Amino acid sequence: MPSTAPTTPARRAVVAFLAAAAVLGAAAVPAAAAPHGPAAGHTAHGQDGYGDLARFGYQKAVAITVVKRVFEHGDTAVVDRFVWPDYIQHNPTAADGAAGLKALATSIHQQFPDARYNVKRAISEGDLVLLHSNVVLVPGTKGASVIDIFRFQGGKIAEHWDVIQNVPDTTASGNDMFSTLSSPQVSQPLDHRLTQANKALVTKAFDELMVHKDLSALDRYWDPGYLQHNTQMLNGVPAAKTGLGGYFASAPQLTVTPKRIVAEGDLVAVHSHYVNYPGDRGAAILDLFRVRNGKIVEHWDIIQNVPETSANGNGMF
């Protein structure tokens, strides 16, 4: 079926997202319109096999509305509408609860009145939404690459994790941290029929390569010319073998523990805890992969060291 047909999963997802965004922009969503999500870690699928795309569109629209209203406008009313009062916060610098998010909104807007939360891509699976954004607090600066993960419950945000990394002036490959370079060059997830197959492929590939440190996995699951947005690595499988081989050799006690995997269409994200040696607090790393024709063709990531202390005591994972 041609990709332009109105009944394709990709088109249905876009329509659902735009419809939800229009509703959110116009007025408060009635309680009856707030769909109830499944238990954490589960993926909802309709009888047609494509999942509840309308609910996923709603969740993405809510997440985008909240981050933009909070960080660009200091809006606390949007928190009351779309965030549970006992919201669980995993950002180590922010306090727990909706009250903590409101305080953050006020503080950010006072210090950075021209801040912009530029969402580059959004994916949703089950009760989770992932946003990949360029957050620029001061106009004219490169800002930070940020991935937010939100867990929904009863149509509202109940929990939040994030990973943040400053955008450097240059990268080893010359690729920026946000663009889509593989074909087709679009940021929205494509072909929802393949969500579960792509998630299974990335889960297996990540386990073999990063958890078990088997460099030959790159030959099995990666496209030879795959495109790299990690700031320190070059494009292609040979460069990945060299870079990861050196990393594994320098950290022989490395443990990589995936905490959650979120997939939609051709995009699959793995949120993990990397610990280089026993006793190391390690780093929170979000790897985002694009899968085309059964191979990983593109990769973005964000890396943040786990700090010694946290404002909320929940940990980053």
Side-chain angles (χ1 to χ4, degrees):
M1 186 181 293
S3 61
T4 54
T7 56
T8 61
R11 175 61 63 85
R12 290 166 59 196
V14 171
V15 170
F17 175 81
L18 293 177
V23 170
L24 290 170
V29 179
H36 291 267
H42 289 75
T43 302
H45 288 277
Q47 292 181 353
D48 60 3
Y50 299 135
D52 188 352
L53 298 183
R55 180 165 62 83
F56 295 163
Y58 169 89
Q59 291 178 167
K60 286 189 280 189
V62 167
I64 291 171
T65 297
V66 168
V67 297
K68 291 188 75 66
R69 294 300 305 177
V70 163
F71 284 90
E72 295 184 356
H73 303 281
D75 184 357
T76 58
V78 74
V79 177
D80 291 325
R81 288 172 63 191
F82 297 121
V83 178
W84 287 107
D86 57 353
Y87 160 80
I88 302 169
Q89 175 66 267
H90 294 273
N91 178 304
T93 66
D96 247 345
L101 186 56
K102 288 182 181 181
L104 181 65
T106 301
S107 175
I108 290 290
H109 190 59
Q110 288 176 347
Q111 295 180 69
F112 306 102
D114 298 315
R116 289 295 175 265
Y117 218 102
N118 301 313
V119 179
K120 301 297 184 178
R121 49 186 57 82
I123 65 175
S124 183
E125 183 190 17
D127 57 358
L128 298 177
V129 171
L130 181 146
L131 304 181
H132 183 202
S133 309
N134 181 200
V135 179
V136 179
L137 297 179
V138 179
T141 65
K142 293 183 179 296
S145 182
V146 178
I147 287 206
D148 295 284
I149 301 176
F150 298 96
R151 180 177 63 83
F152 278 73
Q153 182 177 335
K156 289 187 174 184
I157 295 172
E159 193 165 6
H160 169 256
W161 302 261
D162 61 9
V163 188
I164 303 170
Q165 180 179 345
N166 289 332
V167 177
D169 291 332
T170 60
T171 67
S173 65
N175 305 332
D176 64 39
M177 296 185 73
F178 305 102
S179 60
T180 300
L181 300 177
S182 56
S183 181
Q185 292 180 285
V186 295
S187 59
Q188 72 265 26
L190 299 175
D191 200 345
H192 290 70
R193 297 169 298 179
L194 296 177
T195 294
Q196 293 309 307
N198 291 337
K199 183 177 183 179
L201 183 147
V202 169
T203 299
K204 185 174 178 62
F206 191 88
D207 181 72
E208 293 182 18
L209 178 62
M210 298 308 305
V211 177
H212 295 284
K213 307 178 187 65
D214 180 1
L215 291 173
S216 68
L218 288 160
D219 297 316
R220 291 189 291 277
Y221 304 108
W222 272 257
D223 183 87
Y226 102 108
L227 296 158
Q228 179 64 261
H229 296 270
N230 176 291
T231 61
Q232 298 181 28
M233 295 186 70
L234 298 172
N235 293 325
V237 164
K241 284 185 176 180
T242 299
L244 287 174
Y247 177 35
F248 296 158
S250 68
Q253 294 180 291
L254 169 71
T255 61
V256 177
T257 307
K259 297 296 185 177
R260 53 196 52 83
I261 300 176
V262 187
E264 185 180 357
D266 57 346
L267 297 175
V268 183
V270 184
H271 183 206
S272 307
H273 188 195
Y274 285 58
V275 177
N276 288 332
Y277 52 86
D280 176 28
R281 289 190 300 274
I285 298 185
L286 197 298
D287 292 286
L288 178 61
F289 301 95
R290 192 183 198 198
V291 181
R292 304 294 292 165
N293 302 316
K295 294 285 186 179
I296 295 170
V297 297
E298 195 160 6
H299 168 253
W300 303 260
D301 65 4
I302 302 180
I303 302 168
Q304 181 180 352
N305 290 331
V306 176
E308 185 175 355
T309 60
S310 171
N312 51 63
N314 297 323
M316 292 188 70
F317 303 100

